[in-house]
Structures are given as C-alpha cells and as structure tokens.
Amino acid sequence: MSAKPPLLEVKDLKKHFPVRKGVLSSIVGYVYAVDGISFEIAAGETLGLVGESGCGKSTAGRAILKLIDPTSGTVRLRGERIDNLDRRAMRPYRRELQVVFQDPYSSLNPRLSVGEIVGEPLANYGIVGGKGLERRVAEIFAQVGLREEAMRRYPHEFSGGQRQRIGIARALALNPSLIVLDEPVSALDVSVQAQVVNLLKDLQQELKLSYLFIAHDLAVVEQISQRIAVMYLGKIVELAAKDALFSAPLHPYTEALLSAVPLPDPDARRQRIILTGDVPSPINPPRGCRFHTRCPYAESRCREEEPAMREAAPRHFVACHLRGGVAASS
C-alpha cells in the first residue's frame, strides 16, 4: 500500500534573479536568493521557515505560490506538480494556496471596503453572489473576530492587528488547504502578536489548515510550528521537529539564533553567541559551506566542500560537516 503524499512537497527549489548592467542591460551575474531547498508539509501541519533578513525565506514562499516563477526545482500539491503550470492551468490551485503578507495595510486595496476585499475572491471564482456573498463574508469576519458592521469600513479605519485579521479573512475566503504566512506578526505590537498567533492556531484546528510560517523571530515560531526549517543565504541548513531543534540544535547558525531568543524567566541566563562579520552577498556566495565565513568552528573542509543535508538523528536533518553525524547518506 503506497504512502499518502504530503500536502506540499518542495524539492530543490531555486530562484535566481539576474543582475543587469550597461546600456544593453547585459546579465553580469545572479542573485542566488533561493538556491536549492527541499521540504514537505503534511496536512494540518505548520512548518516554520526562519532566518535572518535577506536569507531568501520570503522569496521561497512567493516561488511556492507562483507569485514569482521559480528558476528550477519542483513544487507539488497533493502529489500534482504545479511549478510548471501557466496562469490558466494554475487557477484551480489558487483556491488551495493562499497568502497573508507582512504589511496588512499595503496588501489591502484602500479603494475597497474590507467586506468587498474579503468577498472579491468568492465573486471571482463564482462561488456565491448577491445576499449569499454578504452572508458568507459576515461568517468569515466572525471567524477572525471581527463584527459584521466592520464590513462597510475601509482599511485605513482599522488598527494594524485588525487589518491583519482582515488579511487572514481574505485568505480563508476560498477554503484553502495551505496558507503561506509571510512575517504575519512582525509589524504588530507584542500583545497583538499573541492574539493573532492564537487566532491562527484556533483556525488551523477548526479548519484543518496547513501553514508555512515565515519569520525571523524564533520565539513566535516556537508557539505555532510543529517543525522548523532554518535558512541561511538561500539554503536550508537545519530541519527538525520544534522540540528537537530548541533542545538540541546541531547547526552553529541555529545555535546562534537560539542564543538570541529571550527567556521567560528573568533570572535565567543564556550564553549569547555573537556572530562576527556580515552576511555574504547572495550575488557571490562563499565556496563550500556558506556559513563558514562566520562560523566559530569552521575547518579547511568547510571552506572547500559544500555540506550535504544529512539525517543526524531521527527526522533531524542538518547541513554541517562537523555536526552531520553518520546516519544518512549524502
């Protein structure tokens, strides 16, 4: 009996942006924003994708959704390949794949009422119209904690947290299977962040949703994710269950990120790992391990040979010559 395929399967996904110069706009190089990442998301699961700003995590989310076309690699939804589909062929899959952006204000049309914004996907797909459309939008508003009378107001009349609820409502309109959450709480106050994260968790349980939760804040990612992928300079360097990653990180970059996470106990102390140097340019990434220029443990092999992702412990994968273990093959 064959195993059930994951909801989303990403394999060796790449997105390279050309760098052009001169009068003829000749290509003189590429920005290796996403350079060969692979992961899966099961139905009902949240995968956190974390890393410093500029590591390529938001680009990865957009490439998966085909908001930008991938350079290479494959993306499969329920086993069906979607990365090579044209705009018309992709349309049916848009209902299953939705997104919530970081800035709720810039992602909402200021000329439409928020009821029209949430109802627009339903009208575009011909799912419901007339009075039925208004009733359905009111139901979605209730799901995200907004009153029905708010439907007639405009985005500028709401707070940041309320606007993000509207963005979530729009993403829910077509009953998706997977929502890509691109830094959904980073622009919000800490107290509002907690409210939005709790809302997302409740919606996931109620609607059986899957999330790709993109963020740079590991403390937030810990609250909502079952598994976490750590990204550095276009590559995933560690992928593990949340508990395993937080209790026993294997990659030196993950260790540094976790050392910066605040502890809830004011008397607790954690040794902070300060990385030296700047993140290398994605136009000219270092040879070998991309982290070796900032890694306190780097050896000569790290500067010459790129580490493969290995299963160092059960379902705990790491791309590191020194921490990779012997359990898995290249």
Side-chain angles (χ1 to χ4, degrees), residues 100-120:
V100 176
F101 294 102
Q102 176 179 354
D103 184 355
Y105 189 64
S106 64
S107 65
L108 301 175
N109 189 336
R111 295 181 175 86
L112 297 179
S113 70
V114 295
E116 291 172 323
I117 289 171
V118 175
E120 192 173 33

mmCIF file with all atom_site columns, all heavy atoms in Angstrom, residues 100-120:
data_model
loop_
_atom_site.group_PDB
_atom_site.id
_atom_site.type_symbol
_atom_site.label_atom_id
_atom_site.label_alt_id
_atom_site.label_comp_id
_atom_site.label_asym_id
_atom_site.label_entity_id
_atom_site.label_seq_id
_atom_site.pdbx_PDB_ins_code
_atom_site.Cartn_x
_atom_site.Cartn_y
_atom_site.Cartn_z
_atom_site.occupancy
_atom_site.B_iso_or_equiv
_atom_site.pdbx_formal_charge
_atom_site.auth_seq_id
_atom_site.auth_comp_id
_atom_site.auth_asym_id
_atom_site.auth_atom_id
_atom_site.pdbx_PDB_model_num
ATOM 1   N N   . VAL A 1 100 ? -0.836  35.361 3.477  1.00 0.00 ? 100 VAL A N   1
ATOM 2   C CA  . VAL A 1 100 ? -1.021  36.527 4.338  1.00 0.00 ? 100 VAL A CA  1
ATOM 3   C C   . VAL A 1 100 ? 0.314   37.250 4.386  1.00 0.00 ? 100 VAL A C   1
ATOM 4   O O   . VAL A 1 100 ? 1.333   36.659 4.757  1.00 0.00 ? 100 VAL A O   1
ATOM 5   C CB  . VAL A 1 100 ? -1.470  36.131 5.755  1.00 0.00 ? 100 VAL A CB  1
ATOM 6   C CG1 . VAL A 1 100 ? -1.553  37.362 6.664  1.00 0.00 ? 100 VAL A CG1 1
ATOM 7   C CG2 . VAL A 1 100 ? -2.822  35.423 5.714  1.00 0.00 ? 100 VAL A CG2 1
ATOM 8   N N   . PHE A 1 101 ? 0.320   38.530 4.003  1.00 0.00 ? 101 PHE A N   1
ATOM 9   C CA  . PHE A 1 101 ? 1.565   39.277 3.877  1.00 0.00 ? 101 PHE A CA  1
ATOM 10  C C   . PHE A 1 101 ? 1.947   39.968 5.184  1.00 0.00 ? 101 PHE A C   1
ATOM 11  O O   . PHE A 1 101 ? 1.132   40.121 6.100  1.00 0.00 ? 101 PHE A O   1
ATOM 12  C CB  . PHE A 1 101 ? 1.442   40.317 2.762  1.00 0.00 ? 101 PHE A CB  1
ATOM 13  C CG  . PHE A 1 101 ? 1.289   39.722 1.390  1.00 0.00 ? 101 PHE A CG  1
ATOM 14  C CD1 . PHE A 1 101 ? 0.043   39.672 0.770  1.00 0.00 ? 101 PHE A CD1 1
ATOM 15  C CD2 . PHE A 1 101 ? 2.379   39.201 0.719  1.00 0.00 ? 101 PHE A CD2 1
ATOM 16  C CE1 . PHE A 1 101 ? -0.109  39.125 -0.488 1.00 0.00 ? 101 PHE A CE1 1
ATOM 17  C CE2 . PHE A 1 101 ? 2.237   38.649 -0.544 1.00 0.00 ? 101 PHE A CE2 1
ATOM 18  C CZ  . PHE A 1 101 ? 0.999   38.608 -1.153 1.00 0.00 ? 101 PHE A CZ  1
ATOM 19  N N   . GLN A 1 102 ? 3.195   40.430 5.217  1.00 0.00 ? 102 GLN A N   1
ATOM 20  C CA  . GLN A 1 102 ? 3.726   41.069 6.420  1.00 0.00 ? 102 GLN A CA  1
ATOM 21  C C   . GLN A 1 102 ? 3.017   42.377 6.743  1.00 0.00 ? 102 GLN A C   1
ATOM 22  O O   . GLN A 1 102 ? 2.629   42.615 7.878  1.00 0.00 ? 102 GLN A O   1
ATOM 23  C CB  . GLN A 1 102 ? 5.227   41.329 6.245  1.00 0.00 ? 102 GLN A CB  1
ATOM 24  C CG  . GLN A 1 102 ? 5.852   42.086 7.418  1.00 0.00 ? 102 GLN A CG  1
ATOM 25  C CD  . GLN A 1 102 ? 7.337   42.310 7.228  1.00 0.00 ? 102 GLN A CD  1
ATOM 26  O OE1 . GLN A 1 102 ? 7.938   41.813 6.283  1.00 0.00 ? 102 GLN A OE1 1
ATOM 27  N NE2 . GLN A 1 102 ? 7.945   43.057 8.135  1.00 0.00 ? 102 GLN A NE2 1
ATOM 28  N N   . ASP A 1 103 ? 2.865   43.242 5.753  1.00 0.00 ? 103 ASP A N   1
ATOM 29  C CA  . ASP A 1 103 ? 2.273   44.556 5.970  1.00 0.00 ? 103 ASP A CA  1
ATOM 30  C C   . ASP A 1 103 ? 0.801   44.508 5.588  1.00 0.00 ? 103 ASP A C   1
ATOM 31  O O   . ASP A 1 103 ? 0.462   44.529 4.402  1.00 0.00 ? 103 ASP A O   1
ATOM 32  C CB  . ASP A 1 103 ? 2.999   45.607 5.127  1.00 0.00 ? 103 ASP A CB  1
ATOM 33  C CG  . ASP A 1 103 ? 2.474   47.018 5.389  1.00 0.00 ? 103 ASP A CG  1
ATOM 34  O OD1 . ASP A 1 103 ? 1.495   47.159 6.138  1.00 0.00 ? 103 ASP A OD1 1
ATOM 35  O OD2 . ASP A 1 103 ? 3.049   47.972 4.838  1.00 0.00 ? 103 ASP A OD2 1
ATOM 36  N N   . PRO A 1 104 ? -0.090  44.445 6.552  1.00 0.00 ? 104 PRO A N   1
ATOM 37  C CA  . PRO A 1 104 ? -1.511  44.307 6.212  1.00 0.00 ? 104 PRO A CA  1
ATOM 38  C C   . PRO A 1 104 ? -2.069  45.530 5.493  1.00 0.00 ? 104 PRO A C   1
ATOM 39  O O   . PRO A 1 104 ? -3.018  45.416 4.721  1.00 0.00 ? 104 PRO A O   1
ATOM 40  C CB  . PRO A 1 104 ? -2.177  44.100 7.573  1.00 0.00 ? 104 PRO A CB  1
ATOM 41  C CG  . PRO A 1 104 ? -1.244  44.703 8.563  1.00 0.00 ? 104 PRO A CG  1
ATOM 42  C CD  . PRO A 1 104 ? 0.133   44.499 8.001  1.00 0.00 ? 104 PRO A CD  1
ATOM 43  N N   . TYR A 1 105 ? -1.486  46.705 5.725  1.00 0.00 ? 105 TYR A N   1
ATOM 44  C CA  . TYR A 1 105 ? -2.046  47.910 5.108  1.00 0.00 ? 105 TYR A CA  1
ATOM 45  C C   . TYR A 1 105 ? -1.740  47.958 3.613  1.00 0.00 ? 105 TYR A C   1
ATOM 46  O O   . TYR A 1 105 ? -2.637  48.205 2.801  1.00 0.00 ? 105 TYR A O   1
ATOM 47  C CB  . TYR A 1 105 ? -1.505  49.167 5.787  1.00 0.00 ? 105 TYR A CB  1
ATOM 48  C CG  . TYR A 1 105 ? -2.221  50.428 5.331  1.00 0.00 ? 105 TYR A CG  1
ATOM 49  C CD1 . TYR A 1 105 ? -3.572  50.604 5.599  1.00 0.00 ? 105 TYR A CD1 1
ATOM 50  C CD2 . TYR A 1 105 ? -1.544  51.412 4.635  1.00 0.00 ? 105 TYR A CD2 1
ATOM 51  C CE1 . TYR A 1 105 ? -4.232  51.749 5.177  1.00 0.00 ? 105 TYR A CE1 1
ATOM 52  C CE2 . TYR A 1 105 ? -2.190  52.559 4.207  1.00 0.00 ? 105 TYR A CE2 1
ATOM 53  C CZ  . TYR A 1 105 ? -3.540  52.728 4.485  1.00 0.00 ? 105 TYR A CZ  1
ATOM 54  O OH  . TYR A 1 105 ? -4.190  53.843 4.064  1.00 0.00 ? 105 TYR A OH  1
ATOM 55  N N   . SER A 1 106 ? -0.493  47.697 3.227  1.00 0.00 ? 106 SER A N   1
ATOM 56  C CA  . SER A 1 106 ? -0.134  47.786 1.812  1.00 0.00 ? 106 SER A CA  1
ATOM 57  C C   . SER A 1 106 ? -0.719  46.643 0.989  1.00 0.00 ? 106 SER A C   1
ATOM 58  O O   . SER A 1 106 ? -0.788  46.729 -0.238 1.00 0.00 ? 106 SER A O   1
ATOM 59  C CB  . SER A 1 106 ? 1.393   47.807 1.651  1.00 0.00 ? 106 SER A CB  1
ATOM 60  O OG  . SER A 1 106 ? 1.955   46.599 2.096  1.00 0.00 ? 106 SER A OG  1
ATOM 61  N N   . SER A 1 107 ? -1.147  45.556 1.637  1.00 0.00 ? 107 SER A N   1
ATOM 62  C CA  . SER A 1 107 ? -1.707  44.426 0.906  1.00 0.00 ? 107 SER A CA  1
ATOM 63  C C   . SER A 1 107 ? -3.226  44.514 0.748  1.00 0.00 ? 107 SER A C   1
ATOM 64  O O   . SER A 1 107 ? -3.836  43.637 0.134  1.00 0.00 ? 107 SER A O   1
ATOM 65  C CB  . SER A 1 107 ? -1.348  43.109 1.606  1.00 0.00 ? 107 SER A CB  1
ATOM 66  O OG  . SER A 1 107 ? -1.957  43.026 2.879  1.00 0.00 ? 107 SER A OG  1
ATOM 67  N N   . LEU A 1 108 ? -3.847  45.579 1.298  1.00 0.00 ? 108 LEU A N   1
ATOM 68  C CA  . LEU A 1 108 ? -5.295  45.763 1.186  1.00 0.00 ? 108 LEU A CA  1
ATOM 69  C C   . LEU A 1 108 ? -5.584  46.967 0.286  1.00 0.00 ? 108 LEU A C   1
ATOM 70  O O   . LEU A 1 108 ? -4.988  48.032 0.448  1.00 0.00 ? 108 LEU A O   1
ATOM 71  C CB  . LEU A 1 108 ? -5.919  45.979 2.563  1.00 0.00 ? 108 LEU A CB  1
ATOM 72  C CG  . LEU A 1 108 ? -5.721  44.856 3.587  1.00 0.00 ? 108 LEU A CG  1
ATOM 73  C CD1 . LEU A 1 108 ? -6.299  45.259 4.939  1.00 0.00 ? 108 LEU A CD1 1
ATOM 74  C CD2 . LEU A 1 108 ? -6.329  43.554 3.102  1.00 0.00 ? 108 LEU A CD2 1
ATOM 75  N N   . ASN A 1 109 ? -6.506  46.815 -0.642 1.00 0.00 ? 109 ASN A N   1
ATOM 76  C CA  . ASN A 1 109 ? -6.862  47.882 -1.582 1.00 0.00 ? 109 ASN A CA  1
ATOM 77  C C   . ASN A 1 109 ? -7.591  48.997 -0.829 1.00 0.00 ? 109 ASN A C   1
ATOM 78  O O   . ASN A 1 109 ? -8.691  48.788 -0.312 1.00 0.00 ? 109 ASN A O   1
ATOM 79  C CB  . ASN A 1 109 ? -7.753  47.323 -2.686 1.00 0.00 ? 109 ASN A CB  1
ATOM 80  C CG  . ASN A 1 109 ? -7.983  48.321 -3.812 1.00 0.00 ? 109 ASN A CG  1
ATOM 81  O OD1 . ASN A 1 109 ? -7.880  49.535 -3.627 1.00 0.00 ? 109 ASN A OD1 1
ATOM 82  N ND2 . ASN A 1 109 ? -8.297  47.810 -4.997 1.00 0.00 ? 109 ASN A ND2 1
ATOM 83  N N   . PRO A 1 110 ? -6.996  50.206 -0.767 1.00 0.00 ? 110 PRO A N   1
ATOM 84  C CA  . PRO A 1 110 ? -7.624  51.283 0.028  1.00 0.00 ? 110 PRO A CA  1
ATOM 85  C C   . PRO A 1 110 ? -8.922  51.799 -0.576 1.00 0.00 ? 110 PRO A C   1
ATOM 86  O O   . PRO A 1 110 ? -9.683  52.495 0.097  1.00 0.00 ? 110 PRO A O   1
ATOM 87  C CB  . PRO A 1 110 ? -6.547  52.371 0.034  1.00 0.00 ? 110 PRO A CB  1
ATOM 88  C CG  . PRO A 1 110 ? -5.753  52.131 -1.205 1.00 0.00 ? 110 PRO A CG  1
ATOM 89  C CD  . PRO A 1 110 ? -5.734  50.644 -1.391 1.00 0.00 ? 110 PRO A CD  1
ATOM 90  N N   . ARG A 1 111 ? -9.202  51.470 -1.836 1.00 0.00 ? 111 ARG A N   1
ATOM 91  C CA  . ARG A 1 111 ? -10.411 51.966 -2.509 1.00 0.00 ? 111 ARG A CA  1
ATOM 92  C C   . ARG A 1 111 ? -11.618 51.058 -2.307 1.00 0.00 ? 111 ARG A C   1
ATOM 93  O O   . ARG A 1 111 ? -12.725 51.399 -2.719 1.00 0.00 ? 111 ARG A O   1
ATOM 94  C CB  . ARG A 1 111 ? -10.147 52.134 -4.012 1.00 0.00 ? 111 ARG A CB  1
ATOM 95  C CG  . ARG A 1 111 ? -9.117  53.210 -4.334 1.00 0.00 ? 111 ARG A CG  1
ATOM 96  C CD  . ARG A 1 111 ? -8.926  53.344 -5.839 1.00 0.00 ? 111 ARG A CD  1
ATOM 97  N NE  . ARG A 1 111 ? -8.027  54.437 -6.168 1.00 0.00 ? 111 ARG A NE  1
ATOM 98  C CZ  . ARG A 1 111 ? -6.702  54.338 -6.210 1.00 0.00 ? 111 ARG A CZ  1
ATOM 99  N NH1 . ARG A 1 111 ? -6.140  53.163 -5.934 1.00 0.00 ? 111 ARG A NH1 1
ATOM 100 N NH2 . ARG A 1 111 ? -5.949  55.372 -6.513 1.00 0.00 ? 111 ARG A NH2 1
ATOM 101 N N   . LEU A 1 112 ? -11.400 49.901 -1.704 1.00 0.00 ? 112 LEU A N   1
ATOM 102 C CA  . LEU A 1 112 ? -12.493 48.963 -1.464 1.00 0.00 ? 112 LEU A CA  1
ATOM 103 C C   . LEU A 1 112 ? -12.785 48.869 0.030  1.00 0.00 ? 112 LEU A C   1
ATOM 104 O O   . LEU A 1 112 ? -11.882 48.984 0.866  1.00 0.00 ? 112 LEU A O   1
ATOM 105 C CB  . LEU A 1 112 ? -12.135 47.566 -1.978 1.00 0.00 ? 112 LEU A CB  1
ATOM 106 C CG  . LEU A 1 112 ? -11.883 47.394 -3.477 1.00 0.00 ? 112 LEU A CG  1
ATOM 107 C CD1 . LEU A 1 112 ? -11.518 45.938 -3.784 1.00 0.00 ? 112 LEU A CD1 1
ATOM 108 C CD2 . LEU A 1 112 ? -13.091 47.819 -4.291 1.00 0.00 ? 112 LEU A CD2 1
ATOM 109 N N   . SER A 1 113 ? -14.047 48.652 0.362  1.00 0.00 ? 113 SER A N   1
ATOM 110 C CA  . SER A 1 113 ? -14.370 48.360 1.755  1.00 0.00 ? 113 SER A CA  1
ATOM 111 C C   . SER A 1 113 ? -13.793 46.986 2.088  1.00 0.00 ? 113 SER A C   1
ATOM 112 O O   . SER A 1 113 ? -13.542 46.164 1.195  1.00 0.00 ? 113 SER A O   1
ATOM 113 C CB  . SER A 1 113 ? -15.884 48.357 1.965  1.00 0.00 ? 113 SER A CB  1
ATOM 114 O OG  . SER A 1 113 ? -16.476 47.236 1.323  1.00 0.00 ? 113 SER A OG  1
ATOM 115 N N   . VAL A 1 114 ? -13.601 46.725 3.378  1.00 0.00 ? 114 VAL A N   1
ATOM 116 C CA  . VAL A 1 114 ? -12.994 45.452 3.744  1.00 0.00 ? 114 VAL A CA  1
ATOM 117 C C   . VAL A 1 114 ? -13.933 44.281 3.429  1.00 0.00 ? 114 VAL A C   1
ATOM 118 O O   . VAL A 1 114 ? -13.476 43.168 3.161  1.00 0.00 ? 114 VAL A O   1
ATOM 119 C CB  . VAL A 1 114 ? -12.568 45.446 5.221  1.00 0.00 ? 114 VAL A CB  1
ATOM 120 C CG1 . VAL A 1 114 ? -11.457 46.463 5.453  1.00 0.00 ? 114 VAL A CG1 1
ATOM 121 C CG2 . VAL A 1 114 ? -13.733 45.687 6.154  1.00 0.00 ? 114 VAL A CG2 1
ATOM 122 N N   . GLY A 1 115 ? -15.239 44.534 3.434  1.00 0.00 ? 115 GLY A N   1
ATOM 123 C CA  . GLY A 1 115 ? -16.178 43.491 3.027  1.00 0.00 ? 115 GLY A CA  1
ATOM 124 C C   . GLY A 1 115 ? -15.998 43.139 1.553  1.00 0.00 ? 115 GLY A C   1
ATOM 125 O O   . GLY A 1 115 ? -16.047 41.963 1.170  1.00 0.00 ? 115 GLY A O   1
ATOM 126 N N   . GLU A 1 116 ? -15.766 44.157 0.717  1.00 0.00 ? 116 GLU A N   1
ATOM 127 C CA  . GLU A 1 116 ? -15.518 43.909 -0.707 1.00 0.00 ? 116 GLU A CA  1
ATOM 128 C C   . GLU A 1 116 ? -14.197 43.189 -0.913 1.00 0.00 ? 116 GLU A C   1
ATOM 129 O O   . GLU A 1 116 ? -14.074 42.327 -1.791 1.00 0.00 ? 116 GLU A O   1
ATOM 130 C CB  . GLU A 1 116 ? -15.517 45.236 -1.468 1.00 0.00 ? 116 GLU A CB  1
ATOM 131 C CG  . GLU A 1 116 ? -16.884 45.898 -1.550 1.00 0.00 ? 116 GLU A CG  1
ATOM 132 C CD  . GLU A 1 116 ? -16.816 47.303 -2.128 1.00 0.00 ? 116 GLU A CD  1
ATOM 133 O OE1 . GLU A 1 116 ? -15.835 48.030 -1.830 1.00 0.00 ? 116 GLU A OE1 1
ATOM 134 O OE2 . GLU A 1 116 ? -17.736 47.677 -2.874 1.00 0.00 ? 116 GLU A OE2 1
ATOM 135 N N   . ILE A 1 117 ? -13.190 43.521 -0.100 1.00 0.00 ? 117 ILE A N   1
ATOM 136 C CA  . ILE A 1 117 ? -11.883 42.874 -0.217 1.00 0.00 ? 117 ILE A CA  1
ATOM 137 C C   . ILE A 1 117 ? -11.989 41.377 0.074  1.00 0.00 ? 117 ILE A C   1
ATOM 138 O O   . ILE A 1 117 ? -11.464 40.539 -0.661 1.00 0.00 ? 117 ILE A O   1
ATOM 139 C CB  . ILE A 1 117 ? -10.881 43.544 0.748  1.00 0.00 ? 117 ILE A CB  1
ATOM 140 C CG1 . ILE A 1 117 ? -10.527 44.946 0.248  1.00 0.00 ? 117 ILE A CG1 1
ATOM 141 C CG2 . ILE A 1 117 ? -9.621  42.696 0.895  1.00 0.00 ? 117 ILE A CG2 1
ATOM 142 C CD1 . ILE A 1 117 ? -9.717  45.767 1.234  1.00 0.00 ? 117 ILE A CD1 1
ATOM 143 N N   . VAL A 1 118 ? -12.685 41.026 1.147  1.00 0.00 ? 118 VAL A N   1
ATOM 144 C CA  . VAL A 1 118 ? -12.822 39.623 1.520  1.00 0.00 ? 118 VAL A CA  1
ATOM 145 C C   . VAL A 1 118 ? -13.753 38.888 0.562  1.00 0.00 ? 118 VAL A C   1
ATOM 146 O O   . VAL A 1 118 ? -13.557 37.698 0.267  1.00 0.00 ? 118 VAL A O   1
ATOM 147 C CB  . VAL A 1 118 ? -13.318 39.499 2.971  1.00 0.00 ? 118 VAL A CB  1
ATOM 148 C CG1 . VAL A 1 118 ? -13.596 38.050 3.350  1.00 0.00 ? 118 VAL A CG1 1
ATOM 149 C CG2 . VAL A 1 118 ? -12.286 40.108 3.927  1.00 0.00 ? 118 VAL A CG2 1
ATOM 150 N N   . GLY A 1 119 ? -14.742 39.588 0.038  1.00 0.00 ? 119 GLY A N   1
ATOM 151 C CA  . GLY A 1 119 ? -15.695 38.952 -0.873 1.00 0.00 ? 119 GLY A CA  1
ATOM 152 C C   . GLY A 1 119 ? -15.193 38.818 -2.293 1.00 0.00 ? 119 GLY A C   1
ATOM 153 O O   . GLY A 1 119 ? -15.735 38.017 -3.071 1.00 0.00 ? 119 GLY A O   1
ATOM 154 N N   . GLU A 1 120 ? -14.151 39.565 -2.651 1.00 0.00 ? 120 GLU A N   1
ATOM 155 C CA  . GLU A 1 120 ? -13.664 39.557 -4.033 1.00 0.00 ? 120 GLU A CA  1
ATOM 156 C C   . GLU A 1 120 ? -13.248 38.166 -4.525 1.00 0.00 ? 120 GLU A C   1
ATOM 157 O O   . GLU A 1 120 ? -13.625 37.771 -5.636 1.00 0.00 ? 120 GLU A O   1
ATOM 158 C CB  . GLU A 1 120 ? -12.494 40.541 -4.164 1.00 0.00 ? 120 GLU A CB  1
ATOM 159 C CG  . GLU A 1 120 ? -12.093 40.823 -5.598 1.00 0.00 ? 120 GLU A CG  1
ATOM 160 C CD  . GLU A 1 120 ? -11.050 41.928 -5.668 1.00 0.00 ? 120 GLU A CD  1
ATOM 161 O OE1 . GLU A 1 120 ? -10.220 42.044 -4.735 1.00 0.00 ? 120 GLU A OE1 1
ATOM 162 O OE2 . GLU A 1 120 ? -11.041 42.668 -6.669 1.00 0.00 ? 120 GLU A OE2 1
#
